[in-house]
Amino acid sequence: MLNFDVSLLDEVKKILDKFYKRKEIQKLGADYGLDARLFHQAFISFRNYIMQSHSLDVDIHIVLNDICFSAAHVDDLFPFFLRHAKQIFPVLECKDDLRKISDLRIPPNWYPEARAIQRKIIFHSGPTNSGKTYHAIQKYLSAKSGVYCGPLKLLAHEIFEKSNAAGVPCDLVTGEERVTVEPDGKQAGHVACTVEMCNVITPYEVAVIDEIQMIRDPARGWAWTRALLGLCAEEVHLCGESAAIDLVTELMYTTGEEVEVRSYERLTPISVLDHALESLDNLRPGDCIVCFSKNDIYSVSRQIEIRGLESAVIYGSLPPGTKLAQAKKFNDPDDPCKILVATDAIGMGLNLSIRRIIFYSLIKPSINEKGEREIEPITTSQALQIAGRAGRYSTQFKEGEVTTMNREDLSLLKEILNRPVDPIMAAGLHPTAEQIEMFAYHLPETTLSNLIDIFVDFSQVDGQYFVCNMDDFKFSAELIQHIPLSLRVRYVFCTAPINKKQPFVCSSLLQFARQYSRNEPLTSAWLRRYIRWPLLPPKNIKDLVDLEAIHDVLDLYLWLSYRFMDMFPDAILVRHLQKELDGIIQDGVHNITKLIKISETHKLLNLQSLPTGSQSRLSETLKGQARRTRSSKRESKAAAPPSCNAGERSLASRLVQQGLLTPDMLKQLEEEWLTQQTEQGKERTDSGSYLKGTRRKKKEPDSE
């Protein structure tokens, strides 16, 4: 190691700048896997190493001296630059191997058992309430063996019960539950499962894949792709929208299998009314008001109760048992409850006797394939799925009706429903645990979250496929990163389905992982202490939300108990706890309007409704926002401080109701934001302007 001559520092700086700007060097770097971003980062590090190091390697010292005295060319620095880049980016050393591991271009080859047989593919295409699933299930029930793959636990349970009631022994397999019906514990010939849990090794006579259009789902689409390509069945029956026919046909062409399409028409008529509801005074028995936020659910339920009517309530975070209880209450002709208030959770998995669907709003928050939050009007596919719940065959209402709450939304609803459904262009894929383990072998010091990022960057897919969004997986990976676990165990914990909006559920995943790492079994007694059992009935909406979160924690325990039976040994006892908790939640939802009233009284919830005109103007504003670029939406969001003024109360009350904020926390956030704004104002005064890099790094006021 040699010291560098200080008198030549300025000359060295010029040489490095010249090296960085040379197009030939940048092109050479790209050949070794250094894209523009990595090249820049590697150069900054390389320059700092040369300029700030007290001593340099002999070889680089000699080359720099030679360049200073025109005895060598600036390009001669490249080997040293590349060596340095490989030290800070180990991925460059093994990029060819990583590209091979992450090559996702021929997914059919992943399933040799399915490729070894000639499968018959039948696509049952039609709208909601057309009987397409019924015909597929009839084939399933008449077969010697079969598997049903559904998108929801409720649907798997329904087929499980229907099959056994028909005298066809059928097992149940979901992420959180296994039920075998044979007395000796032997597997039955038929199984009903959630699509993620289907076995692609076991041979069946008939397989049914329900809601095949979900193959495009940004997060879960991989499960439908795996089932479609991998199920080892003589006949594979697909049920879903016609929008998936072309893609399925193309995918099956690559496996050498033909697709037979059977089209169905809706069994009962449905019509879009020419008038909006406009007032809850105009509700009739059999009406279902569809909202896209919990706050709207609470508000509408409260207003219905004020009018002396009783309503059932169904939304996504309710336990399955509570959803079924509310559906039964609404469907019962002898029950005084004749109105249903629900989210789009009614679109699948529940048999409901609805006369008229009323869209309270047409604006729904969603997450796109990049993991970005969007607030846009519902899609044609979503509108048809929800609207189709009205006037279902075999219910008391032989015709269905659809309308909106607000008059101004009615024309938009008609426009949405009349649009053709966009064809599905690609199917989802997901890296396996084995692929990530191979990545980790080459990059042993890399975190699991970063391994996923590198995998996605290196992955190669055909135009018929896309890599599913893995933000939830990465969220869990970062949450438990500091806990010592083997890679395979860490991967399993990260695939556990959790609601990352629920702080208690997230902290429970962390606690479960910590207990596991200590080799301390999580017994029923430990879990009861952890959730503070016994639990009291909810006294307000916040209590109800807390109970829903605890139910999710019990779900998480059960999910992990089937992957780590020795560490989560008390699945049966926990299931009894969960059943008891489900009853407590059912009672709370049954009295939800009382809980809402108490919450309003104690200022835990603000349900001041906007006038109809204001709601419509808000809807128009949001529609306009949907046409703008996502970046402008993020900027406008970042500019808004967390405050308690009238325009912000709805958001604040939602956060409080969800348990994410308390009134004291909200006040503290406002004070911190104001302090931060004051400090930033001083900085602007002192410096006059921000550097771009600084502006990018600074957290926005509401980012936490």
Side-chain angles (χ1 to χ4, degrees):
M1 306 288 280
L2 298 173
N3 291 326
F4 199 79
D5 191 343
V6 178
S7 63
L8 294 177
L9 276 178
D10 288 341
E11 189 65 30
V12 169
K13 193 179 294 184
K14 291 177 184 177
I15 290 170
L16 291 174
D17 289 342
K18 184 178 180 182
F19 174 85
Y20 176 74
K21 293 175 182 176
R22 278 183 61 77
K23 298 293 183 185
E24 294 83 352
I25 293 296
Q26 294 176 16
K27 185 176 182 302
L28 199 56
D31 292 341
Y32 284 90
L34 286 165
D35 59 23
R37 179 178 60 85
L38 290 180
F39 182 86
H40 176 75
Q41 291 176 0
F43 174 76
I44 295 298
S45 177
F46 182 60
R47 185 179 63 185
N48 290 342
Y49 162 66
I50 291 175
M51 301 301 297
Q52 297 174 12
S53 179
H54 294 293
S55 56
L56 290 172
D57 291 342
V58 174
D59 50 1
I60 194 170
H61 187 279
I62 292 171
V63 169
L64 281 168
N65 269 292
D66 286 349
I67 296 172
C68 287
F69 294 102
S70 302
H73 193 274
V74 68
D75 290 358
D76 294 335
L77 278 175
F78 185 77
F80 306 102
F81 167 73
L82 184 61
R83 183 177 68 188
H84 184 84
K86 287 180 177 180
Q87 289 174 350
I88 62 173
F89 298 123
V91 68
L92 298 174
E93 199 69 70
C94 51
K95 66 183 182 64
D96 291 336
D97 290 331
L98 297 182
R99 287 196 190 283
K100 288 176 185 175
I101 296 168
S102 58
D103 190 341
L104 308 178
R105 286 178 293 187
I106 316 178
N109 290 357
W110 304 347
Y111 309 102
E113 290 82 6
R115 299 293 77 77
I117 62 174
Q118 188 64 29
R119 304 181 305 169
K120 184 178 180 182
I121 312 295
I122 298 112
F123 195 122
H124 299 267
S125 167
T128 304
N129 194 26
S130 61
K132 57 185 184 294
T133 307
Y134 169 81
H135 288 89
I137 294 300
Q138 292 306 113
K139 289 291 293 183
Y140 165 82
L141 294 174
S142 63
K144 294 177 184 176
S145 62
V147 57
Y148 167 83
C149 307
L152 301 171
K153 287 183 282 187
L154 279 174
L155 285 169
H157 268 275
E158 182 183 338
I159 301 303
F160 164 73
E161 291 169 358
K162 188 177 291 186
S163 184
N164 286 298
V168 179
C170 177
D171 293 340
L172 174 70
V173 178
T174 70
E176 299 81 14
E177 192 172 9
R178 311 282 191 280
V179 179
T180 54
V181 295
E182 298 291 357
D184 57 359
K186 190 178 177 181
Q187 286 187 356
H190 288 68
V191 60
C193 64
T194 44
V195 66
E196 286 88 352
M197 300 304 299
C198 70
N199 188 321
V200 294
I201 305 297
T202 304
Y204 300 101
E205 184 179 337
V206 168
V208 176
I209 306 175
D210 208 356
E211 306 294 353
I212 186 63
Q213 71 276 0
M214 290 190 71
I215 201 168
R216 68 179 164 203
D217 187 87
R220 295 178 67 201
W222 64 270
W224 276 263
T225 305
R226 174 176 172 271
L228 175 62
L229 298 177
L231 279 172
C232 193
E234 296 169 29
E235 286 188 12
V236 180
H237 292 258
L238 313 175
C239 307
E241 297 176 5
S242 59
I245 292 175
D246 289 346
L247 176 64
V248 168
T249 303
E250 289 176 21
L251 296 181
M252 294 301 94
Y253 178 79
T254 65
T255 66
E257 296 163 326
E258 293 185 1
V259 179
E260 176 189 338
V261 178
R262 298 178 186 174
S263 299
Y264 302 83
E265 298 297 327
R266 185 178 166 87
L267 296 172
T268 56
I270 188 168
S271 58
V272 182
L273 300 179
D274 290 326
H275 57 274
L277 187 72
E278 299 197 73
S279 170
L280 296 178
D281 294 329
N282 299 323
L283 287 172
R284 305 196 306 256
D287 279 349
C288 172
I289 303 176
V290 177
C291 308
F292 294 116
S293 78
K294 265 192 185 179
N295 213 47
D296 286 344
I297 290 271
Y298 300 149
S299 175
V300 171
S301 301
R302 180 82 174 93
Q303 292 176 54
I304 289 172
E305 193 249 359
I306 290 171
R307 287 163 170 79
L309 301 174
E310 193 173 336
S311 65
V313 172
I314 296 174
Y315 50 86
S317 59
L318 285 177
T322 305
K323 290 177 186 172
L324 288 171
Q326 289 291 296
K328 184 179 179 181
K329 173 184 169 77
F330 173 69
N331 289 338
D332 186 354
D334 298 325
D335 196 289
C337 170
K338 302 299 181 187
I339 309 295
L340 176 62
V341 184
T343 64
D344 53 344
I346 63 164
M348 290 181 192
L350 292 168
N351 294 313
L352 296 162
S353 185
I354 298 172
R355 179 206 302 269
R356 180 172 59 172
I357 289 285
I358 301 156
F359 285 93
Y360 190 70
S361 166
L362 296 175
I363 305 299
K364 180 187 177 183
S366 63
I367 305 295
N368 67 15
E369 65 277 3
K370 295 180 181 178
E372 298 168 332
R373 184 178 174 85
E374 295 180 331
I375 302 177
E376 294 183 332
I378 56 174
T379 65
T380 299
S381 178
Q382 291 167 337
L384 289 170
Q385 185 84 29
I386 298 166
R389 309 304 288 181
R392 285 181 66 82
Y393 185 74
S394 78
T395 67
Q396 60 177 307
F397 303 116
K398 303 306 178 187
E399 292 187 19
E401 298 174 341
V402 185
T403 188
T404 58
M405 181 69 189
N406 301 310
R407 188 189 314 166
E408 292 81 359
D409 287 338
L410 192 54
S411 59
L412 177 59
L413 176 63
K414 290 180 178 179
E415 180 190 332
I416 291 172
L417 291 172
N418 287 327
R419 289 178 198 152
V421 178
D422 293 333
I424 298 171
M425 305 305 294
L429 295 174
H430 190 285
T432 64
E434 291 77 16
Q435 288 170 320
I436 298 303
E437 279 182 337
M438 286 190 282
F439 256 54
Y441 172 79
H442 289 286
L443 304 167
E445 302 302 319
T446 308
T447 66
L448 180 54
S449 178
N450 286 340
L451 282 175
I452 293 296
D453 283 336
I454 295 168
F455 185 96
V456 173
D457 285 343
F458 273 80
S459 62
Q460 304 169 73
V461 295
D462 287 333
Q464 298 165 326
Y465 299 96
F466 67 92
V467 179
C468 283
N469 179 277
M470 299 192 66
D471 282 355
D472 287 350
F473 183 99
K474 288 170 55 185
F475 173 84
S476 296
E478 289 163 4
L479 187 68
I480 64 173
Q481 180 54 45
H482 63 286
I483 297 175
L485 298 167
S486 70
L487 182 68
R488 180 59 70 109
V489 169
R490 190 181 300 279
Y491 182 94
V492 173
F493 267 91
C494 293
T495 55
I498 64 167
N499 181 357
K500 62 184 183 184
K501 295 179 182 177
Q502 285 283 10
F504 183 62
V505 178
C506 298
S507 64
S508 298
L509 178 71
L510 185 64
Q511 186 62 37
F512 289 179
R514 188 176 287 119
Q515 289 284 112
Y516 184 100
S517 72
R518 295 171 183 160
N519 202 30
E520 298 175 2
L522 290 90
T523 63
S524 172
W526 179 91
L527 188 63
R528 289 164 73 102
R529 289 194 302 273
Y530 178 71
I531 62 174
R532 298 180 182 177
W533 191 271
L535 300 169
L536 299 174
K539 297 178 181 177
N540 52 52
I541 288 295
K542 184 183 181 303
D543 288 350
L544 180 61
V545 173
D546 289 344
L547 291 177
E548 291 168 11
I550 293 172
H551 191 280
D552 285 349
V553 169
L554 299 185
D555 255 351
L556 175 62
Y557 182 99
L558 292 170
W559 191 93
L560 290 166
S561 73
Y562 288 105
R563 279 84 181 166
F564 309 111
M565 294 183 184
D566 55 335
M567 296 300 292
F568 296 82
D570 293 336
I572 295 174
L573 295 174
V574 171
R575 194 169 302 285
H576 288 317
L577 280 184
Q578 193 180 49
K579 190 172 182 180
E580 192 174 335
L581 174 57
D582 202 339
I584 297 172
I585 293 174
Q586 284 182 37
D587 291 341
V589 174
H590 182 73
N591 299 308
I592 194 165
T593 52
K594 293 180 183 177
L595 303 185
I596 294 168
K597 193 185 300 183
I598 293 169
S599 299
E600 284 186 296
T601 302
H602 291 83
K603 298 182 179 179
L604 295 173
L605 198 62
N606 177 19
L607 299 179
Q608 293 178 357
S609 297
L610 292 169
T612 301
S614 299
Q615 286 185 352
S616 302
R617 284 194 295 276
L618 176 62
S619 181
E620 288 300 320
T621 302
L622 288 169
K623 288 176 217 166
Q625 286 180 348
R627 300 187 191 103
R628 298 173 195 160
T629 61
R630 295 188 189 104
S631 59
S632 64
K633 283 192 286 187
R634 286 197 297 270
E635 289 167 4
S636 62
K637 182 181 176 184
S643 66
C644 295
N645 59 41
E648 299 287 345
R649 279 177 186 162
S650 176
L651 173 60
S653 63
R654 282 202 302 274
L655 291 172
V656 170
Q657 170 260 311
Q658 291 171 6
L660 299 175
L661 282 180
T662 65
D664 290 340
M665 290 167 64
L666 193 65
K667 186 176 180 181
Q668 183 180 347
L669 278 173
E670 185 176 10
E671 291 172 355
E672 288 177 1
W673 186 86
L674 290 171
T675 303
Q676 188 177 12
Q677 290 298 100
T678 303
E679 291 174 354
Q680 289 177 354
K682 290 179 181 177
E683 289 176 14
R684 289 191 189 95
T685 304
D686 295 340
S687 63
S689 64
Y690 287 119
L691 293 173
K692 290 183 179 179
T694 306
R695 188 183 298 122
R696 279 197 298 270
K697 290 178 183 176
K698 267 193 179 293
K699 287 187 178 179
E700 287 141 356
D702 64 348
S703 64
E704 295 181 6

